[in-house]
Amino acid sequence: MTDMASLMEDRAAGSDAANLRKPVDWDSAHIARNIKKRYAAERRFKAYGLAAIMLALAALVMLGYSIVSKGYSAFVQTFVQIEITFDPATIDPDATRDPAVIGRANFDGLIKDALRARFPEVTSRSEKRKLYDIVSSGASYDLRERVLDNPSLIGQTRKVWLIAGDDFDMLNKGYISAETSEASRRLDDDQIGWFQSLTDSGAIEKRFHTRFFTNGDSREPELAGIWGAAVGSFYTLIVTLVLSFPIGVAAAIYLEEFAPKNRLTQVIEVNINNLAAVPSIVFGLLGLELYLNVMHLPRSAPVVGGLTLALMTLPTIIIAARAAIKAVPPSIRQAALGLGASPVQTVSHHVLPLAMPGILTGTIIGMAQALGETAPLLMIGMVAFIVDIPGSAMDAATVLPVQIYLWADSPERAFVEKTSAAIMVLLAFLILMNGLAVFLRKKFERKW
Amino acid sequence: MSLTFLLLAIALLCALSFVFGRKRAIALSGGRFSNLHSLPIHYGTYTALWCGLPALALLIVWYALQGPVTEALVISDLPVEITSDPGKLSLALNAISLIAADNGHHLDVAPEVIEAGQRLAVLHSISNTALIVVLLAVALLGLGFSYRRILADMRARNNVERTVRYLMIGCSAIAILSTVGIVFSLLFEALHFFSKISPIEFLFGLEWSPQTAIRADQVASDGAFGMIPLFAGTLLITFIAMLVAVPVGLFSAIYMGEYASPRFRAWAKPALEVLAGVPTVVYGFFAALTVAPFLRDSGAVLGLSVSSESALAAGLVMGIMIIPFVSSLSDDVMSQVPQALRDGSYGLGATKSETIRLVIFPAALPGIVGAILLAVSRAIGETMIVVMAAGLAANLTANPLQAVTTVTVQIVTLLVGDQEFDSAKTLSAFALGLVLFLVTLGLNVFALKVVQKYREKYD
C-alpha cells in the first residue's frame, strides 16, 4: 500500500523533471562503453564459473595422478633368481620325507648359502648381512612350500625365483637412485653393485605381485598384502548392512506411512537429520564407551566396527528410504486400500516393492560411505597390527581404510607404493558400488 | 561360534513355527480359507513372531548384561586392598580377563587374581550354557503358547500387524536412542574428567599438553587441559578450507546451473561428485604426501619457512573435499528460484551474470548460508585429513604456514592404543568429543533455522 502511494508521489513530483530530462541517446559513446563493460563483466563472470569447475576437476585429476603414479608399481614385485642347492643334510638328514621334519628345516640357511656361493668375494660378517638383504625374509617360507609340495627336489640344485627385499625392489623400480650420495640412501654402493651384477646376468625380473592381494599385513613391505583388511572390511560391512538396512527401512516406513504427526515423531525426524550431520568420530566415541567399556565386546572386532558404522549409516538409509517411499504416488495406496488390503498389506505388497530400487540405491551409497570410513574405527581399536586373516566377525581385524592409514604412517619407502595401491583397490570398490547405485537408479527410474 | 549358532537356531525355530502355525490354521479351516479370520500366512507369522521375538530380546539383553554382571561378581570376591584402589583394580581386571581367555600364563599376579580369572572363565561358560538352554526354552514356550491359541476366528492378522507396527516404532526409536547414547556416553566420561580438571580451565585455558604423571615423582608432566589452542587450530584449518570451498563451490554451482550445456553438465557433475565419494583417509594421504611437501618446497623457493605439517596443506585439501558439498547444496537452492524471476530480469535487459548476482543469488541466500554452515560443521568434525596432515603440538597461532593441532586430532591421539579409563588424559578426549558434538549440533540446528526462517516462498 505504502509502496504504491510513494510511487504515485514520485510520479507527481518527478513529472516536471522527466519533461526536462533529455531522452537517452542509445548511440552515444557513453552507452556503448557501458554496454561493452557489461558484456565484459558477463564474460568474466562466466569464465570464473568455468575456472571454478576446472579447478575442482584439476584437483581430482591431481589426486588421481598422484595416487596412480605412486601406486601402479606396487602391482609388480622384483624377484631374484638364485641357484639353490636343496641339501639333504639340511632339509631331511634322515631321509624320512616326513613333512614335519621338512617343515622345521633351515631354508633360510639354504638361501644364505646360495647367496654366498653366488658372491664368493663377500667375506666379512657385516658385508654378508647386507648381501642377505637381497632376498626377502619371507622367501624361506616359499622355499619350504615348494619342497613340501615336491619332495623330489631334495638333493637337487635348481635355479629358483625368490622374492626380493623391499630396498632392492625400490632400487629396481627406480625409487632409489645410484646417483644420490651413499650416506643418504638405504643401500650402499656394494649392494647396488651386487644387484647390478645380478641384473646383468638376467637374474632379476619383475612379476605380477599376487601376494599383495592374498597376504595379510606384514612389517616387511614386500610381504604385506591387503587380503586381511579386505576380509575385515567385508565382515564389518555385513554386520553394518544386516543391522542398518532392516532397522532403517522399518523406521522410514513407520515415519512416512504410519506415524501420527505429533511432537514425538517431529522430534524423531529432527533427530535423524541431526544424526546425519554428527561428526563420524563422535560415533567412534559412542562405540568405544557403549560397546567396549559397558558391554565388553571384543576390541578390534568387525562386530564392534559394524555396530558402530550401523548407527552412522542408519540416518543415511532412513532419509533415502523416506524419499523413495514418498515418491510412490498416493493413488497406489488408495487402490490397494479400496480393494480391502490392510495398511500393512498395502505397504508390504505395493508401496515397498515400488520404493525398493530407491531404497537400495540409498543403501548402497550408505554402504559405500561406511566402507570408506576410518575415524570411528580408530576409536574402537581396529588400528591394531594384525597379520592373520580374520576367520569370523569376532576375530580381531582391520579394514581397508585403516590399513591405508597404518601403511601411510610407515617409514619404509616401499609402503608408499603399497598405500597408493591399496587406495586404488579401495577406490575401485567404491566406484563399483556407486556405479551399481547409478545403474539401479537408471534401470528402475519411473515417472508417475 | 556360539552367537552365529544361536541366531541360526532361532531362525530355524521361527521357520518351523511358521510352518506349524500355517498348517494348523489350514487344518482348522476345513478346506475353506473363508472360514478363517485371516489368511493362513498370518497364522504362520503369528507363531513365528511369538517364537522369535522374545528369544531375540532375551539374547540382546543377555549379551548386554553378561559382561558387567560377571565382572561385578568377580570383583565382589577380590580382597579389599585391590578393590579399594582404582589403579590396582583396573590392572587386576586386565589380568583377570587375560587369564579367563587362557592367555595370561606369563602374568605374575596375586593368587587371588588368578583364582578370579579362572572363576571368570567358569562364569562365562556357565553363562553361555545357561543362555542356550534358556533361549531354546523361551523360543519353544512361545511356539507352544501361540500354537495353542490359534483358532479359526482368532484375529491373527490384526495381531501380527500390531506387532509389526510396534517393531517399526522401535526401529524409529533407535535414532533417538543413539542420540541419547551419544550424549550419555560423552557426558558420563566428561563429568568424570571434570571431577579432576575444572571446567573453567578446560574451556578457557590457553595451554594444551595432556601428559600426566604416571608416578608421583615424575617431573614436568602436570598436564594442561585448555582447549582454546585446539579450537583455534580447528577454526584456522576450517577457515582455510572455506576459503577454497566456498568460492569454488559457489561458482561451480552457478556455472553448472545457469551456463553449462546439458552435455557438459552430464559429465562434469558426476565428476565433481566423485570428489565427495573419495574416502577422507585418501585425502589425508594426498595432503601428507603430495600437498604438504609441495607447499614446503615452494615455500623454500620463496624464502618462507613452511612447516611440513602446515595448517595450509590440511586446509587446502579439506577445502577440495568440501567443494562438492557446497556446490550441490547451493545448486539445489538456486535451481529452486523460479524461472519467472529470471525471465523478468532478462526482460528488463539484464545480462545473465547481472540476473544471477542481483536476482537469483539474493533470493537463494538463506539456503546458501545454510549450506555453508553445514559445510563448516563438516569441516570442524573432519578427522582423517587433519590426523594425517596437521600437527600434534597445540600451537596458538594464526599463521597458516605453521603446524597446528585440532580437536579431532587430539581425540584420536588420546584414544588410540591401550588406555586406562581413569586418567585425565584419556577422559579429556570425551570432554573434547562432547564439545565437538555440541558445536556441530548447534551449527546444524542454526543452519536449518536460517533456511526455514529466511527462505523465500514462491507461489
Side-chain angles (χ1 to χ4, degrees):
Chain A
M1 216 36 216
T2 46
D3 283 358
M4 207 59 195
S6 67
L7 198 65
M8 302 283 266
E9 260 169 53
D10 280 356
R11 280 225 179 126
S15 59
D16 290 337
N19 285 340
L20 291 174
R21 198 162 67 195
K22 282 186 205 147
V24 176
D25 177 8
W26 292 104
D27 296 328
S28 74
H30 169 72
I31 291 288
R33 240 191 350 264
N34 199 1
I35 288 178
K36 228 176 161 178
K37 237 167 71 187
R38 286 176 59 208
Y39 279 155
E42 169 72 27
R43 277 194 299 276
R44 273 204 308 277
F45 195 77
K46 191 173 170 181
Y48 293 153
L50 194 61
I53 291 182
M54 288 307 158
L55 210 66
L57 294 182
L60 184 64
V61 169
M62 252 162 55
L63 179 71
Y65 174 76
S66 96
I67 302 288
V68 172
S69 67
K70 282 198 184 91
Y72 75 96
S73 55
F75 296 118
V76 291
Q77 169 71 32
T78 306
F79 281 77
V80 188
Q81 192 185 41
I82 296 189
E83 195 161 0
I84 300 263
T85 309
F86 293 94
D87 182 8
T90 317
I91 302 173
D92 193 11
D94 306 328
T96 54
R97 293 292 187 264
D98 178 6
V101 175
I102 297 176
R104 273 200 305 274
N106 180 11
F107 288 98
D108 212 29
L110 290 184
I111 298 174
K112 287 178 179 168
D113 291 344
L115 280 169
R116 277 200 304 275
R118 174 71 177 74
F119 294 98
E121 70 274 17
V122 181
T123 47
S124 80
R125 267 178 79 91
S126 65
E127 289 277 284
K128 278 184 195 163
R129 197 170 304 142
K130 280 193 273 181
L131 178 63
Y132 299 152
D133 283 347
I134 291 183
V135 174
S136 161
S137 59
S140 57
Y141 299 105
D142 283 2
L143 222 49
R144 170 182 305 154
E145 291 300 311
R146 216 178 266 245
V147 175
L148 284 174
D149 285 352
N150 183 10
S152 65
L153 279 174
I154 298 172
Q156 296 186 20
T157 299
R158 283 275 186 88
K159 285 195 165 178
V160 177
W161 287 99
L162 295 172
I163 187 165
D166 59 316
D167 288 331
F168 289 91
D169 183 40
M170 289 294 103
L171 175 68
N172 192 31
K173 287 169 180 170
Y175 294 119
I176 295 178
S177 160
E179 267 123 59
T180 46
S181 74
E182 195 174 357
S184 61
R185 58 175 135 85
R186 285 179 62 94
L187 296 174
D188 61 21
D189 288 341
D190 287 344
Q191 286 174 307
I192 292 180
W194 298 328
F195 192 77
Q196 194 55 49
S197 105
L198 282 170
T199 314
D200 293 342
S201 63
I204 299 290
E205 211 175 81
K206 275 196 259 186
R207 295 180 172 185
F208 183 69
H209 192 24
T210 37
R211 248 169 227 275
F212 179 69
F213 296 98
T214 56
N215 271 24
D217 196 5
S218 168
R219 297 265 185 239
E220 304 294 330
E222 73 273 12
L223 301 176
I226 54 167
W227 185 241
V231 173
S233 270
F234 175 74
Y235 283 130
T236 308
L237 279 188
I238 289 289
V239 175
T240 308
L241 182 68
V242 163
L243 286 171
S244 62
F245 181 70
I247 295 180
V249 173
I253 294 173
Y254 176 72
L255 290 175
E256 204 54 52
E257 299 281 333
F258 297 107
K261 295 282 167 254
N262 59 21
R263 275 300 270 277
L264 183 70
T265 49
Q266 227 171 6
V267 168
I268 295 181
E269 279 196 54
V270 173
N271 222 310
I272 288 168
N273 286 331
N274 275 330
L275 267 185
V278 169
S280 59
I281 194 166
V282 172
F283 284 99
L285 289 172
L286 170 70
L288 171 62
E289 180 66 19
L290 186 65
Y291 301 135
L292 297 187
N293 285 356
V294 176
M295 287 164 66
H296 295 276
L297 289 171
R299 231 175 136 77
S300 312
V303 153
V304 182
L307 281 166
T308 310
L309 291 182
L311 286 182
M312 227 186 77
T313 329
L314 202 55
T316 315
I317 294 183
I318 295 180
I319 291 169
R322 288 190 68 173
I325 292 170
K326 204 180 255 173
V328 176
S331 54
I332 305 267
R333 297 181 183 83
Q334 285 152 9
L337 291 171
L339 286 173
S342 72
V344 172
Q345 282 172 327
T346 306
V347 169
S348 60
H349 295 178
H350 301 274
V351 177
L352 208 51
L354 288 171
M356 211 25 113
I359 297 177
L360 286 182
T361 314
T363 307
I364 293 170
I365 288 171
M367 286 294 121
Q369 278 172 9
L371 174 61
E373 200 53 70
T374 319
L377 302 179
L378 300 185
M379 298 285 93
I380 56 157
M382 290 190 92
V383 277
F385 171 73
I386 290 154
V387 180
D388 297 330
I389 314 289
S392 80
M394 293 300 228
D395 293 349
T398 188
V399 296
L400 273 176
V402 177
Q403 185 74 77
I404 290 166
Y405 170 67
L406 284 172
W407 282 351
D409 254 8
S410 303
E412 283 95 342
R413 172 63 185 79
F415 270 121
V416 172
E417 66 166 24
K418 300 284 179 254
T419 314
S420 306
I423 288 176
M424 282 194 257
V425 172
L426 179 64
L427 288 181
F429 274 117
L430 286 177
I431 291 170
L432 215 68
M433 287 169 84
N434 282 309
L436 186 65
V438 171
F439 170 77
L440 271 179
R441 194 181 305 164
K442 278 253 161 22
K443 177 150 198 238
F444 293 102
E445 203 169 43
R446 194 192 292 248
K447 288 259 185 285
W448 298 97
Chain B
M1 195 187 65
S2 71
L3 181 65
T4 326
F5 164 74
L6 284 176
L7 287 175
L8 278 177
I10 294 177
L12 194 71
L13 279 175
C14 281
L16 271 180
S17 48
F18 178 82
V19 173
F20 285 158
R22 192 167 166 275
K23 274 229 170 98
R24 177 168 164 114
I26 293 173
L28 285 173
S29 74
R32 278 176 60 91
F33 288 173
S34 56
N35 292 336
L36 294 171
H37 170 270
S38 315
L39 293 172
I41 196 175
H42 288 129
Y43 293 96
T45 318
Y46 176 76
T47 41
L49 284 176
W50 263 103
C51 171
L53 282 184
L56 270 183
L58 179 81
L59 184 71
I60 292 170
V61 172
W62 196 291
Y63 266 97
L65 292 182
Q66 187 182 30
V69 168
T70 49
E71 187 176 280
L73 279 175
V74 166
I75 289 176
S76 68
D77 280 3
L78 284 176
V80 187
E81 65 259 26
I82 295 181
T83 47
S84 56
D85 180 354
K88 268 188 188 166
L89 179 63
S90 71
L91 271 179
L93 282 178
N94 259 342
I96 286 172
S97 61
L98 276 177
I99 293 165
D102 217 14
N103 222 347
H105 308 294
H106 59 285
L107 290 174
D108 180 28
V109 286
E112 293 94 344
V113 174
I114 294 179
E115 209 171 280
Q118 286 155 353
R119 214 170 110 73
L120 185 66
V122 172
L123 281 176
H124 274 164
S125 72
I126 291 177
S127 162
N128 281 336
T129 323
L131 174 62
I132 295 175
V133 173
V134 176
L135 207 60
L136 292 181
V138 166
L140 289 175
L141 272 178
L143 171 57
F145 173 73
S146 55
Y147 186 76
R148 289 194 36 199
R149 276 184 50 166
I150 291 182
L151 297 169
D153 59 348
M154 198 205 51
R155 302 159 75 86
R157 196 190 74 191
N158 306 40
N159 261 315
V160 168
E161 292 190 349
R162 197 176 334 118
T163 314
V164 167
R165 201 176 284 213
Y166 285 136
L167 279 179
M168 289 194 297
I169 294 179
C171 289
S172 324
I174 287 181
I176 290 206
L177 285 182
S178 51
T179 313
V180 172
I182 288 175
V183 171
F184 269 90
S185 60
L186 294 180
L187 209 59
F188 180 73
E189 299 288 4
L191 286 178
H192 225 117
F193 170 73
F194 288 131
S195 68
K196 294 170 194 272
I197 308 288
S198 96
I200 308 286
E201 191 203 323
F202 176 70
L203 289 174
F204 302 107
L206 293 181
E207 223 176 303
W208 177 267
S209 74
Q211 300 310 319
T212 43
I214 297 169
R215 299 189 315 273
D217 56 334
Q218 250 173 339
V219 206
S221 51
D222 282 348
F225 293 95
M227 61 164 211
I228 297 287
L230 307 188
F231 261 86
T234 306
L235 290 180
L236 178 62
I237 290 182
T238 304
F239 180 71
I240 298 168
M242 288 301 131
L243 278 187
V244 176
V246 171
V248 176
L250 268 183
F251 271 108
S252 305
I254 288 172
Y255 191 85
M256 287 285 186
E258 308 288 332
Y259 288 105
S261 66
R263 266 184 61 198
F264 180 80
R265 201 168 38 233
W267 67 262
K269 210 175 156 82
L272 214 60
E273 272 160 10
V274 170
L275 279 178
V278 174
T280 51
V281 67
V282 176
Y283 282 114
F285 181 70
F286 181 58
L289 254 88
T290 306
V291 179
F294 172 75
L295 287 178
R296 194 185 51 216
D297 295 347
S298 38
V301 170
L302 296 172
L304 292 167
S305 85
V306 182
S307 160
S308 56
E309 295 184 318
S310 61
L312 188 60
L316 279 179
V317 174
M318 198 190 279
I320 294 173
M321 181 195 89
I322 294 178
I323 288 171
F325 192 71
V326 174
S327 80
S328 71
L329 278 178
S330 41
D331 191 20
D332 286 349
V333 183
M334 283 193 282
S335 65
Q336 273 164 18
V337 175
Q339 186 63 28
L341 286 188
R342 293 185 180 87
D343 293 342
S345 171
Y346 296 149
L348 288 172
T351 63
K352 227 173 189 174
S353 64
E354 284 163 350
T355 308
I356 292 165
R357 271 184 294 137
L358 302 173
V359 177
I360 300 176
F361 194 71
L365 196 59
I368 290 172
V369 170
I372 292 172
L373 286 177
L374 286 178
V376 168
S377 115
R378 174 169 278 214
I380 289 177
E382 167 48 40
T383 311
M384 291 321 290
I385 295 178
V386 284
V387 166
M388 293 170 84
L392 285 178
N395 193 354
L396 197 54
T397 177
N399 181 357
L401 304 181
Q402 286 189 352
V404 295
T405 192
T406 71
V407 178
T408 47
V409 169
Q410 288 305 316
I411 294 177
V412 169
T413 45
L414 289 170
L415 287 182
V416 166
D418 271 324
Q419 305 290 353
E420 294 302 329
F421 278 85
D422 50 5
S423 73
K425 187 182 163 189
T426 21
L427 292 175
S428 65
F430 285 91
L432 286 178
L434 184 64
V435 176
L436 182 69
F437 175 71
L438 292 178
V439 167
T440 50
L441 188 71
L443 268 174
N444 295 334
V445 172
F446 184 61
L448 287 178
K449 280 268 178 301
V450 166
V451 174
Q452 268 168 14
K453 183 155 185 206
Y454 296 101
R455 182 168 49 196
E456 304 273 334
K457 291 207 176 66
Y458 308 100
D459 60 60

